[in-house]
Amino acid sequence: MNKQMAQYIQGNLTEIISQWQGKMKNEEEELSFRIMPEELLNQTSYEFAELMISNLLENHQAYESRINDFAEKVVRLGWSITFVTKAIGHFAEIVYEDMRKEEMINDGNLADYIEEFSKWITPIRESTIQAYSKTWERTVSLQKIALQELSASLIPVFEKVSVMPLVGTIDTERAKLIMENLLEGVVKHRAEVVLLDITGVPVVDTMVAHHIIQAADAVRLVGAKCMLVGIRPEIAQTIVTLGINLNDFTTTSTLQRGVEQALAWTNRKIVEVED
């Protein structure tokens, strides 16, 4: 029966894919499928159909390779795992209904085909979910590492003056990375003044403030000064409300003012030059 099902799908592939695309476009929660360029949509649809057929005809190793490749693609396209499982279900429904209409499935062999469809769909759903989950976890992990590295780097802006822009939520894991990069950067760039720019930090609570104070103390221990810049009015209000003590800090509302103060600490200043 596997070969009969595969031959039917291959012989009616264009019509089956057309019906399948129609069902998938009606899944309102998945915008990414509906806005895909036509060429990419058709290419992905045929790849999906080949994946469904491969489970009927190919050996396990070839099928696993195909499903891993497809999982990586749909993760990049932004398909959710729910959408992928619906795609499998809709494809099987279309094949079953069309084979019933053409009386390839009838009352005499109905039970046998139901069993075959179950043997076909259940493994492919389980293996797809597993492959998708592994790909998603790996992708998120790589993105997290990249974002952490990009958002916790010390940038020299003038001789002896460096800036570390902080972006996003600061948790314990990120605080550790910030501390390591900060200390390494101070030594590497021979910085005498470090500006911690929290303009891109959405919330400053007691824990975030504690991490920042620890970072400033560590900077002082290696012989540099630390300044906190980018304190927005709402952040200032939160700090006062929570009773967070930043008395040991020099603070400014903008990075520009912080740079001016840092230059003053290193006996320099910005002057306008007339033509």
Side-chain angles (χ1 to χ4, degrees), residues 2-273:
N2 280 1
K3 287 185 178 180
Q4 289 178 325
M5 291 163 61
Q7 288 171 356
Y8 178 81
I9 296 169
Q10 290 170 331
N12 299 272
L13 192 57
T14 302
E15 175 59 25
I16 291 171
I17 287 177
S18 177
Q19 293 182 61
W20 179 79
Q21 287 180 347
K23 281 182 175 288
M24 298 312 296
K25 286 178 180 178
N26 288 331
E27 297 291 341
E28 296 181 358
E29 72 275 9
E30 199 68 33
L31 180 63
S32 60
F33 188 87
R34 297 200 300 276
I35 64 174
M36 285 174 66
E38 192 70 22
E39 183 178 350
L40 179 59
L41 175 62
N42 288 331
Q43 179 186 345
T44 306
S45 299
Y46 275 92
E47 286 178 10
F48 176 77
E50 289 171 2
L51 173 66
M52 297 294 289
I53 297 170
S54 70
N55 195 35
L56 295 169
L57 297 177
E58 295 181 356
N59 60 49
H60 181 73
Q61 185 175 355
Y63 166 71
E64 286 293 318
S65 175
R66 191 186 293 272
I67 202 168
N68 287 329
D69 291 342
F70 187 77
E72 289 186 8
K73 180 169 186 174
V74 296
V75 167
R76 290 196 303 270
L77 291 173
W79 291 15
S80 67
I81 188 63
T82 302
F83 188 71
V84 175
T85 56
K86 285 182 178 179
I88 296 169
H90 285 324
F91 193 92
E93 288 170 9
I94 292 166
V95 173
Y96 176 81
E97 290 169 2
D98 287 358
M99 290 181 73
R100 282 283 282 179
K101 287 177 184 177
E102 297 192 15
E103 297 185 352
M104 291 182 65
I105 300 177
N106 52 55
D107 293 341
N109 60 21
L110 180 60
D112 292 335
Y113 266 106
I114 289 176
E115 184 179 354
E116 287 302 317
F117 267 81
S118 178
K119 289 180 180 179
W120 175 39
I121 295 303
T122 300
I124 199 170
R125 182 181 287 118
E126 291 176 352
S127 55
T128 301
I129 291 173
Q130 185 178 14
Y132 182 99
S133 299
K134 288 181 179 178
T135 302
W136 177 255
E137 288 172 4
R138 184 171 65 254
T139 301
V140 170
S141 178
L142 291 173
Q143 288 176 344
K144 186 177 181 181
I145 291 170
L147 285 172
Q148 286 178 336
E149 291 176 347
L150 288 172
S151 63
S153 55
L154 192 67
I155 306 167
V157 290
F158 293 102
E159 185 183 359
K160 302 178 183 178
V161 178
S162 295
V163 177
M164 176 173 279
L166 301 180
V167 180
T169 304
I170 299 175
D171 55 17
T172 302
E173 187 177 346
R174 276 203 66 205
K176 182 181 178 183
L177 180 66
I178 289 168
M179 184 81 76
E180 291 173 355
N181 290 357
L182 190 57
L183 296 177
E184 288 177 6
V186 168
V187 175
K188 178 181 178 182
H189 302 303
R190 298 180 180 178
E192 293 183 7
V193 182
V194 174
L195 286 72
L196 290 178
D197 185 2
I198 63 169
T199 304
V201 178
V203 178
V204 174
D205 55 17
T206 305
M207 186 186 73
V208 172
H210 174 69
H211 290 316
I212 291 172
I213 291 169
Q214 280 189 324
D217 289 340
V219 168
R220 283 195 288 269
L221 287 174
V222 293
K225 294 181 180 179
C226 190
M227 188 187 311
L228 190 62
V229 304
I231 300 180
R232 307 185 303 277
E234 61 270 25
I235 296 296
Q237 186 175 1
T238 301
I239 290 172
V240 171
T241 302
L242 294 174
I244 298 169
N245 183 10
L246 296 179
N247 291 335
D248 292 337
F249 272 98
T250 297
T251 61
T252 67
S253 59
T254 66
L255 178 60
Q256 179 181 352
R257 290 183 179 179
V259 170
E260 291 172 354
Q261 180 62 53
L263 290 174
W265 282 348
T266 55
N267 300 316
R268 290 172 294 175
K269 64 179 180 179
I270 298 174
V271 296
E272 292 186 7
V273 179

